[in-house]
Each structure stands twice: as structure tokens, then as C-alpha cells.
Amino acid sequence: MATIVTLDVMLAKRKMSLTELAERVGITLANLSILKNGRARAIRFSTLEGICRALDCQPGDLLAYRPDDTPRPAPALAPADAVPSPV
């Protein structure tokens, strides 16, 4: 996964427990734990806003992007995209 969740870092900076954050945001502890451990596949903007409000931070303080190290193969050229060879 290329999106890294740094919620645990922000919780430590704010000296707040996951349980306290869950109560402030109105989200279950289980769902917040899934997000914190990087297993979430999506997050609602309203949830992200609630977390940012409770932690007094910006979304960029909680999420980071790291490109995959896996090289992607070059796309194959379709016949219409192929360059004609000189005759």
C-alpha cells in the first residue's frame, strides 16, 4: 500500500489514547484501530474531519504517500499507436 497512516504518531504527540479519540470522534474503537494499523481501504471525509478536529491537525499530518517500489511494465502499443517502419 502506498498510502501510509501515521495516526499513531499524532496520538503520541497529543498524548491521547485510541479509546479517547474514538469517543471524541464518534467512531468505534475497532474501526479506528483498522485505520491506525493501515488496514483500512477508505475513510469518509467526515471521519477524517472529526479526527483532525479532535487532534488539532491537518489531514497531511495523518496520511503520507510513498510510491510503490515495484516497477510497472511499460504499456504495450496498440496497432494505431505503433510507429510505421520506414520502407
Side-chain angles (χ1 to χ4, degrees):
M1 178 195 282
T3 302
I4 310 302
V5 179
T6 57
L7 180 58
D8 53 346
V9 174
M10 190 56 63
L11 283 168
K13 285 181 180 179
R14 299 297 190 252
K15 296 180 173 65
M16 187 182 299
S17 70
L18 200 61
T19 303
E20 183 180 349
L21 180 61
E23 290 171 359
R24 288 186 182 194
V25 176
I27 186 173
T28 65
L29 186 58
N31 284 337
L32 198 54
S33 180
I34 288 169
L35 177 63
K36 182 180 89 67
N37 293 322
R39 291 180 284 139
R41 304 302 293 161
I43 183 171
R44 293 177 190 254
F45 281 126
S46 59
T47 302
L48 184 59
E49 289 170 9
I51 292 170
C52 288
R53 189 177 314 108
L55 294 174
D56 189 30
C57 67
Q58 294 293 313
D61 297 327
L62 302 172
L63 303 171
Y65 173 74
R66 181 177 36 173
D68 286 336
D69 292 339
T70 310
R72 294 185 179 159
L77 293 176
D81 295 332
V83 177
S85 58
V87 181

